[in-house]
Amino acid sequence: MNRRAQAGPRRRLVVLRHAKSAYPAGVPDHERPLAPRGLRDAPAAGRAMADADWIPDLALCSTAVRARRTWELAADQWGTPPPVLVDERLYAADVPELLEAVREVPERVRTLLLIGHNPGLEELILTLAGDGLDDTLDQVRTKYPTSAVAVLVWHGAGWHELAPGTALLTDVAVPRGKKA
């Protein structure tokens, strides 16, 4: 890693790009709904997160309709979903805005789910990851598609310590739902 993370408990940042959205005529970008594929893929992302034991203690979600619906469909796959904070800063956010929101998360949260948009999420992952397991970094550099889930782990006393190059990218998955 480029820079050693502070000592402290293991923390996990799970980054979920919203599921595939539709482009209905006359609908502003912020209000776009999920496309049929997105309606299948968002629950698949939730199931994949449950199967991998990536269930968060807290979720931060963009205010965009497609992000909030992705959250709802993914979280419906878990027994008891964690609390979610819908944050307007996450819509069309760049890395500094995303980091600002993440760094405000309470210390008690060990696993945080961040649901938002590209290119910000992809850039955040690549900024935070000082290293990656297997080909995870190459996967993100090549394409971070809709419904993609990336997992970054690091050690720190609190989220305010999360800094560029201090995390390890351990997993990247692109869950897809099956057509009926």
Side-chain angles (χ1 to χ4, degrees):
M1 289 189 199
N2 298 337
R3 187 176 145 196
R4 284 189 59 89
Q6 301 290 326
R10 179 174 166 267
R11 297 188 185 276
R12 181 170 43 194
L13 176 61
V14 180
V15 182
L16 172 60
R17 184 175 174 200
H18 66 77
K20 182 72 175 170
S21 58
Y23 292 86
V27 175
D29 182 75
H30 187 272
E31 305 305 312
R32 287 191 295 127
L34 291 181
R37 189 179 96 198
L39 293 170
R40 293 188 306 269
D41 291 351
R47 287 189 299 276
M49 290 172 61
D51 291 346
D53 196 27
W54 299 335
I55 304 299
D57 303 313
L58 176 70
L60 297 179
C61 185
S62 162
T63 56
V65 168
R66 60 192 179 273
R68 288 184 287 133
R69 188 68 177 131
T70 298
W71 156 253
E72 291 166 358
L73 292 170
D76 279 350
Q77 305 305 304
W78 311 329
T80 304
V84 61
L85 298 174
V86 178
D87 189 331
E88 63 188 18
R89 295 176 296 178
L90 303 181
Y91 174 67
D94 59 15
V95 171
E97 292 167 316
L98 292 167
L99 266 176
E100 178 183 343
V102 168
R103 287 177 175 155
E104 293 172 2
V105 170
E107 285 183 24
R108 71 180 181 283
V109 173
R110 296 293 174 93
T111 298
L112 174 66
L113 173 61
L114 179 63
I115 306 160
H117 315 270
N118 259 3
L121 292 183
E122 178 179 326
E123 292 168 359
L124 177 71
I125 294 163
L126 296 174
T127 297
L128 294 175
D131 202 355
L133 296 182
D134 302 321
D135 66 344
T136 53
L137 283 169
D138 288 336
Q139 287 179 55
V140 174
R141 284 185 192 113
T142 300
K143 186 174 184 182
Y144 196 65
T146 55
S147 298
V149 182
V151 180
L152 295 148
V153 297
W154 64 286
H155 292 270
W159 291 94
H160 63 279
E161 293 180 351
L162 184 57
T166 61
L168 175 66
L169 182 60
T170 61
D171 297 278
V172 176
V174 184
R176 295 293 184 220
K178 295 183 181 179
K179 289 184 181 181

